Amino acid sequence: REKLINAIRNEFSKNTFDKISINQIIKEADIPRGSFYQYFNDKDDVLEYILLYHRKNMIENVFFSLEHNNGDIFKVFEDACDFFRMLFSDETNKKLWMNLFTDRNIIQKFIDGKCIEYAGDKIINEFIPHINFDELNITRDEVKPFLEILISIFKDTIMEIFWDITKFADVKAKYIKKISLIKKISNK
């Protein structure tokens, strides 16, 4: 299974979605064709797997950070920034994401809802019980919009990191400044 996952990562890092070759994945993984089809039906299935795999890793990272930092949501967002630096520092991952971010077919699949189901609200609702509200000056009703603001800032930061990983220190410093301002405003 690990050989198959690595072969998929490599194929997606080398090609846009329309040029992905199941034959090449099978050849690189050195597995029988039937083994591939035990896990996946087609390229769309492989794409969904990649996206879900990375989303799962990110969610695990967030829950670990929540637990490790006693529910400090600001520390969680700082740790998430480091997670993406690590993710995009790997050249194969960076090329994979470059192909995903710039492929009009994949973007259209997201728009049409044919890619992975948007799970933002579900994920946010799972995080809320783990957040330490003792220092926050927000009500439970304000939590979701509060997190959406933090996520919006985070998304911009991820894109900056993605486009130029060499500027990570400067991008993170700017990000921490924004997060610190929100922390100052929202803390008791």
Side-chain angles (χ1 to χ4, degrees):
R1 184 174 170 100
E2 193 65 32
K3 289 186 340 184
L4 180 57
I5 291 167
N6 286 332
I8 289 167
R9 281 182 62 236
N10 287 336
E11 183 67 9
F12 271 79
S13 72
K14 294 174 188 170
N15 296 295
T16 56
F17 186 71
D18 60 323
K19 292 190 172 55
I20 295 296
S21 166
I22 291 175
N23 288 334
Q24 185 58 37
I25 292 169
I26 291 168
K27 181 179 175 185
E28 184 175 335
D30 193 28
I31 59 170
R33 179 172 284 283
S35 294
F36 176 88
Y37 288 105
Q38 276 184 273
Y39 296 106
F40 306 106
N41 294 323
D42 54 23
K43 287 193 313 188
D44 287 329
D45 217 15
V46 174
L47 172 63
E48 184 172 346
Y49 172 80
I50 285 177
L51 296 172
L52 289 172
Y53 173 81
H54 284 286
R55 179 168 76 185
K56 178 180 172 273
N57 285 343
M58 180 63 194
I59 291 169
E60 287 172 358
N61 180 273
V62 168
F63 276 112
F64 174 82
S65 183
L66 277 166
E67 183 178 321
H68 182 73
N69 294 299
N70 300 316
D72 181 341
I73 193 65
F74 299 104
K75 184 63 178 145
V76 169
F77 275 88
E78 186 176 332
D79 288 350
C81 187
D82 292 331
F83 172 84
F84 276 92
R85 179 199 55 188
M86 182 184 72
L87 181 69
F88 295 149
S89 291
D90 176 271
E91 198 57 35
T92 300
N93 279 334
K94 179 160 176 128
K95 288 178 180 176
L96 179 150
W97 286 103
M98 175 69 81
N99 285 336
L100 294 179
F101 285 157
T102 58
D103 191 314
R104 288 185 7 216
N105 293 326
I106 293 173
I107 293 167
Q108 191 61 48
K109 287 175 186 290
F110 274 110
I111 292 168
D112 295 343
K114 293 179 183 168
C115 231
I116 63 171
E117 156 195 352
Y118 174 73
D121 291 342
K122 180 180 177 220
I123 294 167
I124 287 173
N125 290 334
E126 289 177 17
F127 293 158
I128 291 173
H130 302 277
I131 297 171
N132 183 347
F133 287 95
D134 293 343
E135 299 296 318
L136 294 175
N137 189 25
I138 59 174
T139 66
R140 294 276 176 181
D141 291 338
E142 295 169 330
V143 173
K144 188 174 173 190
F146 172 73
L147 289 174
E148 288 170 348
I149 291 167
L150 290 173
I151 290 167
S152 178
I153 294 168
F154 179 66
K155 285 179 182 176
D156 290 344
T157 301
I158 290 171
M159 292 311 294
E160 284 187 65
I161 293 167
F162 175 75
W163 291 116
D164 192 351
I165 194 76
T166 64
K167 294 183 180 175
F168 177 78
D170 293 335
V171 171
K172 184 175 179 183
K174 186 170 72 171
Y175 173 68
I176 297 300
K177 201 173 201 176
K178 291 175 185 177
I179 296 296
S180 296
L181 178 61
I182 292 172
K183 183 176 184 176
K184 182 178 173 182
I185 293 167
S186 60
N187 275 0
K188 290 180 181 175

